[in-house]
Amino acid sequence: MESLPEGGVIIAEVAEYIVSTTITLKPNITILGQGNGRFHLGTTFKYTGTGAAFNFSKVTAGIKLANFKITTTNNSLNYQKFVGIEVNSAELVTIQDITITNAKVGIDCTASLRYIYLLKIENVFIWDCLNEGIYIRDTGQWKNGIYIAVGEVSDNGIGIRASAGQGNTIEGKASEMGRNRIGAILLEGGIWTIKGSLWIENSPYGVQVTGGNHHILGDIYCISPINILGGSVSVDTQSHVQPLQKTMIKMGLVFWFSFEEGDGLATYDRKGAAKGVFSSVPLWNSDTSVFGTTIELKNGHLSIPINKLDWTYEWTLMILAKGPNTSNLLHITSSDNLKNLIFRIYPDGTQLIVNNVFKKNFRTYPNGNATINMNWHIVSYNPRTNKLNCYSQSGQIRDSYDIVIDQTFSNPSYINVASNGAVLDDFILYNRLLSDSEIRSITQMKIPPHVKDEDYILMKSPNGSYWKQTIDDNGKESWRKL
């Protein structure tokens, strides 16, 4: 580089170059590797130090790193103890077609020397890093101008971690993020847009948000959990979850109450306008909602139709709620009024009470508190195994209880939903068992799917009453009051 004071292109032939100290890049320099270092023999920089293999000087305009590999061997003393590229300063810099393996951090954006602006990280392949594949630690005085186009970022601690920056982008181009041990994408602050095509799988979480305000759009297929623990995320489409046919979402659906009415003593489910009645006026929209609306039952309860499900057969219950551990999620009473099944909110999950006797705490949130945070309470009954199973929001069975639900529950005398301070976002009931991918698809949605039966239109009259239109086999329409 010293021989190119005005800049130029350094072509690194196919070979393994041993690098013992950090290479600090000068402005207007391109380092261009040859071959394909990912799958064949290509230009490879084997770093033996514990700092950064590459970093930048204060003036960086025109720097481009392209088509080479940065690594060390698995038995080297610096294995997972170095940084592939430290972006301590960057303006008009491109990092393209770079492979980084066996580092502590693949690309670490620190802005420790100067701000980062107009940085393009494109088609990068980062594997087997101890901590982060890409870490946007700081951007300096400029907040925007960082573009990350993923090639593959897998088998790291965290795939991409962003703590700063505004108006920046993470994009997939038929790309994958898989098997990251802690999670795929962690957004701790700033404003980031994530768009596709990007496939995220086999990580404890797909996207986790703890701060900032972010935007997900495009073809993001994420089959790992999406956790919103702070900040906010807006979602343009449903394509950020594993795609399911509409018929699968609707198959076996009994109720989907979203509490969209906003006032009054009645609520109607989104599938077939089944009517639920509150015993006292709830607090409408008293809490932050995932799906748009909530109800809070300070006193009383919600009664729903009792003749829509035989509780001795298969069923899956999904309730998005929170509340004190004295609050019931669901209370089912047998036809002879002698037995009951009660599911109650508990700090680390869902509590089961049978015939007014405590039986089980299903520990689905051992590290959280379901009494103060909105969480999914997901329970299914399998009559072939005589088990109640309780699931995490990613669809994994976390706990079970052996029970035979007898015939007195085939036609219960009443079903009450939510009481004693429970706050409900959504109440969903299926007459079948759901797969783990179906559960994930529902819990990761930010926009409720279309599940309405196609043969009716629901309307509200000026006096507040609800009417349903049905169309018979001859195409004749009729209206009836609900």
Side-chain angles (χ1 to χ4, degrees):
M1 282 186 288
E2 299 299 330
S3 64
L4 299 170
E6 302 301 321
V9 177
I10 299 172
I11 298 177
E13 299 293 343
V14 174
E16 182 178 87
Y17 301 87
I18 305 300
V19 179
S20 59
T21 59
T22 300
I23 297 174
T24 298
L25 294 155
K26 301 291 181 66
N28 207 28
I29 289 288
T30 293
I31 298 180
L32 177 62
Q34 302 293 297
N36 187 317
R38 287 190 289 276
F39 305 109
H40 305 287
L41 184 62
T43 301
T44 300
F45 293 96
K46 181 181 176 182
Y47 185 59
T48 60
T50 56
F54 291 85
N55 67 9
F56 302 91
S57 60
K58 198 167 186 179
V59 180
T60 61
I63 290 176
K64 182 175 183 179
L65 304 179
N67 195 37
F68 58 80
K69 184 176 184 178
I70 304 169
T71 190
T72 192
T73 57
N74 292 355
N75 57 3
S76 294
L77 294 176
N78 71 333
Y79 172 69
Q80 294 190 335
K81 294 180 180 178
F82 71 96
V83 174
I85 301 172
E86 182 193 0
V87 185
N88 53 339
S89 167
E91 183 174 7
L92 291 169
V93 169
T94 298
I95 300 171
Q96 185 175 33
D97 295 314
I98 298 295
T99 298
I100 303 173
T101 67
N102 298 341
K104 182 179 180 180
V105 180
I107 299 175
D108 194 354
C109 297
T110 63
S112 60
L113 182 62
R114 196 166 178 251
Y115 60 79
I116 298 172
Y117 179 60
L118 297 180
L119 169 65
K120 179 184 287 188
I121 302 171
E122 189 166 16
N123 199 34
V124 290
F125 290 73
I126 303 178
W127 304 317
D128 295 319
C129 291
L130 177 64
N131 294 339
E132 297 86 4
I134 300 174
Y135 188 4
I136 312 300
R137 195 185 299 266
D138 197 0
T139 59
Q141 69 186 70
W142 286 92
K143 305 300 183 184
N144 64 327
I146 297 177
Y147 171 76
I148 301 171
V150 177
E152 181 178 356
V153 181
S154 298
D155 299 296
N156 307 289
I158 298 172
I160 298 175
R161 179 179 179 184
S163 299
Q166 298 177 6
N168 300 314
T169 298
I170 298 169
E171 182 175 9
K173 294 186 175 181
S175 310
E176 179 182 358
M177 298 183 69
R179 304 173 306 281
N180 290 289
R181 295 179 297 278
I182 298 173
I185 299 175
L186 174 61
L187 302 176
E188 298 177 310
I191 300 173
W192 285 80
T193 295
I194 304 174
K195 59 184 181 179
S197 300
L198 181 60
W199 180 269
I200 303 174
E201 64 175 354
N202 293 328
S203 300
Y205 59 77
V207 179
Q208 181 159 294
V209 179
T210 61
N213 301 282
H214 312 288
H215 196 187
I216 297 177
L217 69 159
D219 298 321
I220 306 299
Y221 296 101
C222 181
I223 59 175
S224 297
I226 295 178
N227 303 326
I228 313 300
L229 306 181
S232 66
V233 177
S234 63
V235 180
D236 278 3
T237 70
Q238 284 304 141
S239 60
H240 70 291
V241 298
Q242 183 181 16
L244 281 182
Q245 297 293 329
K246 184 175 72 172
T247 53
M248 290 299 293
I249 293 280
K250 293 179 65 174
M251 189 174 73
L253 181 62
V254 180
F255 299 126
W256 190 316
F257 285 97
S258 288
F259 314 110
E260 298 170 343
E261 292 77 12
D263 57 37
L265 285 168
T267 185
Y268 298 86
D269 99 290
R270 301 176 62 249
K271 177 182 181 292
K275 184 178 182 180
V277 178
F278 297 104
S279 62
S280 61
V281 177
L283 293 176
W284 292 88
N285 300 322
S286 63
D287 207 282
T288 302
S289 166
V290 173
F291 281 147
T293 53
T294 62
I295 52 107
E296 182 175 355
L297 278 297
K298 287 291 188 184
N299 300 292
H301 56 263
L302 169 65
S303 296
I304 62 175
I306 62 176
N307 59 349
K308 300 294 186 179
L309 179 69
D310 185 339
W311 293 85
T312 66
Y313 292 159
E314 289 183 352
W315 49 266
T316 301
L317 174 70
M318 303 181 67
I319 305 177
L320 183 56
K322 70 175 185 179
N325 58 13
T326 56
S327 57
N328 291 341
L329 292 167
L330 183 68
H331 185 153
I332 311 168
T333 300
S334 61
S335 58
D336 59 8
N337 290 309
L338 298 177
K339 305 179 186 70
N340 58 44
L341 288 173
I342 300 172
F343 296 96
R344 181 172 288 173
I345 297 172
Y346 202 71
D348 56 3
T350 307
Q351 187 178 86
L352 172 67
I353 296 171
V354 180
N355 303 332
N356 296 318
V357 177
F358 164 78
K359 294 295 182 182
K360 179 78 172 181
N361 284 332
F362 295 108
R363 299 187 72 245
T364 50
Y365 296 99
N367 299 316
N369 191 333
T371 64
I372 60 176
N373 297 312
M374 279 285 186
N375 282 302
W376 283 99
H377 299 263
I378 307 168
V379 182
S380 73
Y381 178 64
N382 188 337
R384 294 182 296 280
T385 60
N386 294 320
K387 280 187 180 293
L388 283 171
N389 290 322
C390 205
Y391 301 81
S392 69
Q393 67 179 17
S394 61
Q396 304 303 308
I397 296 176
R398 290 289 180 86
D399 222 336
S400 299
Y401 182 76
D402 294 327
I403 186 174
V404 176
I405 299 179
D406 65 49
Q407 288 300 314
T408 58
F409 286 94
S410 62
N411 186 22
S413 60
Y414 66 84
I415 303 173
N416 290 340
V417 177
S419 64
N420 302 328
V423 181
L424 263 67
D425 196 321
D426 274 64
F427 176 93
I428 306 167
L429 181 63
Y430 281 88
N431 63 11
R432 64 181 180 90
L433 303 177
L434 300 187
S435 68
D436 57 348
S437 62
E438 290 174 316
I439 290 174
R440 280 197 302 271
S441 292
I442 292 172
T443 60
Q444 293 172 12
M445 288 177 180
K446 304 304 174 194
I447 305 168
H450 177 80
V451 296
K452 182 184 292 186
D453 289 339
E454 301 300 335
D455 66 342
Y456 79 90
I457 298 174
L458 183 67
M459 295 188 66
K460 185 177 181 179
S461 72
N463 66 8
S465 61
Y466 283 84
W467 294 76
K468 183 171 82 171
Q469 181 197 60
T470 59
I471 302 174
D472 64 20
D473 293 337
N474 297 319
K476 183 178 179 180
E477 63 183 50
S478 61
W479 290 86
R480 69 179 180 87
K481 188 176 181 180
L482 297 175

